[in-house]
Amino acid sequence: MKSIRDIYKIGKGPSSSHTMGPAKAMSIYVSEHPEAEAFHVVLFGSLADTGEGHGTDKAIIMESDRPVTIEFNVVDRDLPHENTMDIYSIVNGERCNKMRVMSVGGGDIRIEGRGDPTFSDVYPEKTFDEISAFCKKEGIRLSDFVYLREGQEIVPFLYDVWATMKNAIHEGLTTSGILPGGLEVERKAQYLYNQRHIDESPITRENRIVCAYAYAVSEQNADNGTIVTAPTCGACAVLPSVLKYMQERHNFSDRQIINALAVAGLIGTLVKTNASISGAECGCQAEVGTACSMASAALGELFEMGINQIEYAAEIAFEHHLGLTCDPICGLVQIPCIERNAVAAMRAINAVNLANFLSGSRKISLDLVIKTMYETGKDLSHHYRETSTGGLAKLYMNQNKSGEEK
Ligand code: SF4
């Protein structure tokens, strides 16, 4: 299994697979082809279906110092991955030197015919069961396990991750206005944060503040702000919102938050290794479902729960996202994505509470849920895997069209 660095990438939104990945591919290609007069890029699958709304074309063009033409191919579906792109050089007016790239989620890419360019394996373990058995044998916590395998160098990296997450919350809370893309979605984080009522109950306040933080980060993501993938751009708000709220409420130190991030990264890495974190591959269960599971496990670590309880928390949080579709309206990472991050953040807190009360009674392992999510994702129609051709995306557009016709 690879480093948890692979899960946390600091970069600009709104989509790790549709902006960060293609931009990385283009940057590599441009540097390898100084002879090209210009470039031509063909986007396939989900990249073609939602690339315009996600800003894939703009992200690609920004990486080039020469002219770029983009083609959206929504016809060819026989692809090695749902997010496939071909990049060509234009030399003497002719297309040549094709490079086929798959944007596999979380900003990572695979280039056809080349080895895996990401980090090499640092964990011999591949499942939660293996990790749990090791930790129990050694008498260590999951965060200690991460430091053992990754080395202490991971700690300053996680401090950077945490600083960027907090900054995204701050920026989101201090910005108002309409998000770009044409849907006229208004930013709501600041409004939510300021809705204090004298007779507000502690639970209502918790929901409001956690949601305000989640909206803040998701709105930053939708507005091309700097965020941390956790595990993707679309699902980037769940983890920071619950950690920030709990730090303020319980005075956890930054070092305790770092331990929680280490555990969350481990859960995300397990999903990425054994299934997928790509909405185009498995729907939103792979993105927000994973994020919720990561957040719940992080809270378990923060509250010093035992390893079985942490597994249970992560499992509950994930299991109840199974089947969740990806149907962003107009291909923008706004509806349902922003609200969905907030709901998942509240759900992560519920899951860890439930795990605390019911630990010892579970029948489903985290490994089984990860496997189930992958199989479910493979069974989902492509309409529900980041193509914006089904679900809310389709019915909302139909409703608006029929409204215009009246
Ligand atoms: S619906 Fe979920 S998976 Fe799809 S773009 Fe939004 S956050 Fe990502």
Side-chain angles (χ1 to χ4, degrees):
M1 224 163 65
K2 294 193 177 9
S3 167
I4 62 170
R5 289 168 194 262
D6 219 20
I7 287 291
Y8 297 126
K9 293 197 181 70
I10 296 172
K12 292 202 181 293
S15 169
S16 38
S17 56
H18 286 61
T19 49
M20 283 187 192
K24 189 193 288 180
M26 191 66 190
S27 163
I28 292 170
Y29 191 87
V30 167
S31 68
E32 289 179 355
H33 293 280
E35 79 288 358
E37 299 147 8
F39 302 100
H40 182 74
V41 180
V42 188
L43 302 174
F44 299 95
S46 174
L47 289 181
D49 291 323
T50 58
E52 209 176 332
H54 281 49
T56 308
D57 45 352
K58 292 187 197 81
I60 289 171
I61 289 166
M62 274 177 65
E63 295 300 322
S64 176
D65 51 357
R66 283 153 277 170
V68 184
T69 49
I70 311 262
E71 182 182 336
F72 294 85
N73 182 327
V74 294
V75 178
D76 292 335
R77 292 278 164 191
D78 186 14
L79 303 165
H81 188 275
E82 288 75 0
N83 287 328
T84 297
M85 62 191 278
D86 290 343
I87 312 178
Y88 297 88
S89 293
I90 307 293
V91 180
N92 298 325
E94 299 288 324
R95 273 189 212 177
C96 56
N97 300 326
K98 174 176 136 181
M99 180 170 97
R100 173 156 277 197
V101 183
M102 283 67 74
S103 181
V104 294
D108 285 339
I109 56 169
R110 265 202 321 266
I111 301 175
E112 199 170 70
R114 300 191 193 179
D116 189 344
T118 52
F119 303 100
S120 52
D121 285 348
V122 296
Y123 295 88
E125 297 83 5
K126 282 206 169 70
T127 64
F128 191 88
D129 270 358
E130 288 169 23
I131 293 168
S132 175
F134 180 88
C135 290
K136 285 173 186 166
K137 187 165 139 281
E138 298 296 322
I140 59 172
R141 298 193 62 79
L142 285 169
S143 51
D144 296 325
F145 170 76
V146 172
Y147 305 136
L148 185 73
R149 291 285 185 253
E150 303 254 3
Q152 286 299 320
E153 312 86 81
I154 198 69
V155 173
F157 168 81
L158 291 174
Y159 270 102
D160 280 351
V161 163
W162 181 227
T164 309
M165 286 176 164
K166 282 191 291 188
N167 195 50
I169 293 174
H170 174 73
E171 298 273 326
L173 285 179
T174 49
T175 313
S176 54
I178 305 288
L179 293 170
L183 259 183
E184 299 298 308
V185 172
E186 203 172 337
R187 282 179 177 256
K188 298 185 188 75
Q190 201 177 70
Y191 173 81
L192 262 177
Y193 188 75
N194 290 326
Q195 290 305 300
R196 293 184 195 93
H197 290 286
I198 288 181
D199 55 352
E200 190 175 43
S201 72
I203 193 72
T204 307
R205 182 181 184 280
E206 177 172 287
N207 287 345
R208 180 173 60 76
I209 300 294
V210 168
C211 288
Y213 292 163
Y215 271 76
V217 180
S218 274
E219 286 167 356
Q220 282 303 101
N221 178 61
D223 210 357
N224 301 107
T226 301
I227 51 83
V228 184
T229 61
T232 61
C233 286
C236 65
V238 183
L239 182 58
S241 57
V242 297
L243 290 181
K244 171 91 165 120
Y245 172 76
M246 291 301 174
Q247 182 174 43
E248 289 168 348
R249 183 172 160 196
H250 297 281
N251 288 322
F252 288 120
S253 66
D254 274 348
R255 182 56 211 231
Q256 287 172 296
I257 298 289
I258 297 310
N259 292 346
L261 284 172
V263 172
L266 195 60
I267 302 300
T269 303
L270 280 165
V271 180
K272 192 168 179 176
T273 305
N274 295 297
S276 169
I277 56 164
S278 161
E281 205 175 351
C282 288
C284 199
Q285 53 170 359
E287 293 203 17
V288 169
T290 304
C292 188
S293 187
M294 289 168 65
S296 202
L299 293 177
E301 176 67 19
L302 213 45
F303 290 112
E304 298 187 350
M305 288 163 74
I307 196 161
N308 287 346
Q309 285 177 309
I310 293 177
E311 181 186 359
Y312 193 21
E315 183 275 312
I316 295 171
F318 212 169
E319 184 183 330
H320 302 290
H321 282 92
L322 288 176
L324 187 65
T325 60
C326 169
D327 52 358
I329 295 177
C330 297
L332 297 166
V333 191
Q334 295 178 11
I335 306 173
C337 321
I338 297 171
E339 193 173 271
R340 184 164 292 171
N341 273 260
V343 171
M346 292 189 285
R347 197 179 260 194
I349 296 173
N350 290 342
V352 84
N353 284 335
L354 197 54
N356 194 28
F357 293 129
L358 297 180
S359 56
S361 63
R362 69 193 167 90
K363 297 208 183 301
I364 309 294
S365 70
L366 178 60
D367 290 329
L368 188 66
V369 173
I370 292 173
K371 196 172 172 205
T372 307
M373 187 281 286
Y374 194 50
E375 279 203 24
T376 307
K378 289 294 172 192
D379 284 342
L380 276 181
S381 153
H382 77 273
H383 293 302
Y384 305 110
R385 288 186 284 115
E386 215 164 347
T387 56
S388 292
T389 56
L392 275 181
K394 182 177 115 181
L395 296 184
Y396 179 87
M397 294 312 284
N398 287 353
Q399 169 195 287
N400 279 15
K401 266 189 224 143
S402 62
E404 279 164 19
E405 279 158 16
K406 274 178 204 163

